[in-house]
């Protein structure tokens, strides 16, 4: 059972349609990806935390696309255990991201791709003031200064 991903994992898996990738689409963490060929095109069956989870995703997509003629990977574990493990790892991942990227200020958020804090003030769904900085407190102060300038303080 792959409780955690190997440090030097190769991109190949022992299961058909499963590959290991350094990052998923959102550049968050190392993930296992499930894909399947259908009518000459590569169909994405999702990103997963474990190799077994990606294999299960592949099997579901294969059944959906090919029905009774689908090639299914044989898994050494009960499906419910795999789903439970994926759910646990997902909840842990979400919890870690919230704790790292949330701000103590309203209107301030962390932009992970640019590694900066962005502060915005909206009025009637339009941005009226904008500031950014690598430091959360500085981004908030810059925004407050811009707002004070706008009202003439």
């Amino acid at each position: 059972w792959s409780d955690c991903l190997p440090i030097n994992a190769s991109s190949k898996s022992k299961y058909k349609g499963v590959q290991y990738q350094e990052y998923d689409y959102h550049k968050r963490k190392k993930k296992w990806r499930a894909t399947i060929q259908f009518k000459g095109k590569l169909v994405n069956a999702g990103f997963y935390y474990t190799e077994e989870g990606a294999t299960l995703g592949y099997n579901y997509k294969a059944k959906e696309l090919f029905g009774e003629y689908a090639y299914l990977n044989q898994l050494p574990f009960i499906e419910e255990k795999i789903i439970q493990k994926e759910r646990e790892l997902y909840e842990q991942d979400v919890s870690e991201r919230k704790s790292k990227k949330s701000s103590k200020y309203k209107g301030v958020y962390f932009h992970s791709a640019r590694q900066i804090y962005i502060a915005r003030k909206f009025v009637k769904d339009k941005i009226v003031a904008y500031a950014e900085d690598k430091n959360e407190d500085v981004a908030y102060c810059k925004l407050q200064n811009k707002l004070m300038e706008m009202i003439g303080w």
Side-chain angles (χ1 to χ4, degrees):
W1 179 254
S2 57
D3 278 355
C4 54
L5 299 173
I7 294 171
N8 293 322
S10 78
S11 64
K12 294 191 177 192
S13 167
K14 58 187 170 190
Y15 301 108
K16 182 177 181 178
V18 176
Q19 307 86 33
Y20 181 75
Q21 293 192 327
E22 286 294 317
Y23 295 101
D24 68 356
Y25 177 74
H26 300 289
K27 307 234 183 278
R28 289 193 189 117
K29 278 189 170 183
K30 297 174 181 178
K31 298 273 180 100
W32 290 93
R33 181 180 184 199
T35 58
I36 189 167
Q37 285 281 340
F38 183 68
K39 294 186 178 179
K41 294 188 179 187
L42 191 65
V43 178
N44 184 23
F47 289 92
Y48 301 86
Y49 294 92
T50 64
E51 184 178 20
E52 292 80 9
T55 304
L56 191 57
Y58 171 90
N59 285 353
Y60 284 151
K61 188 56 88 172
K63 284 181 205 172
E64 177 186 319
L65 298 174
F66 296 102
E68 65 180 283
Y69 302 105
Y71 170 85
L72 302 178
N73 289 302
Q74 298 301 311
L75 286 162
F77 302 102
I78 300 171
E79 194 172 303
E80 289 79 23
K81 280 188 175 183
I82 296 169
I83 292 169
Q84 179 63 33
K85 185 67 176 177
E86 285 290 320
R87 187 174 292 126
E88 288 170 10
L89 290 170
Y90 169 76
E91 289 170 1
Q92 177 184 343
D93 189 24
V94 168
S95 174
E96 287 173 7
R97 279 189 276 128
K98 280 185 179 177
S99 66
K100 288 180 185 175
K101 308 237 177 354
S102 60
S103 172
K104 57 187 171 188
Y105 301 110
K106 185 176 179 179
V108 178
Y109 72 96
F110 185 74
H111 191 288
S112 58
R114 295 175 57 203
Q115 295 292 303
I116 61 169
Y117 285 91
I118 295 177
R120 301 178 300 184
K121 176 64 177 172
F122 288 88
V123 174
K124 295 184 181 179
D125 296 330
K126 291 185 180 180
I127 297 175
V128 295
Y130 176 91
E132 59 183 55
D133 197 273
K134 290 188 178 203
N135 182 295
E136 171 185 22
D137 298 317
V138 173
Y140 179 75
C141 287
K142 284 180 177 180
L143 179 68
Q144 294 304 310
N145 289 339
K146 285 184 180 183
L147 291 170
M148 292 173 96
E149 283 175 19
M150 288 172 64
I151 60 170
W153 281 49

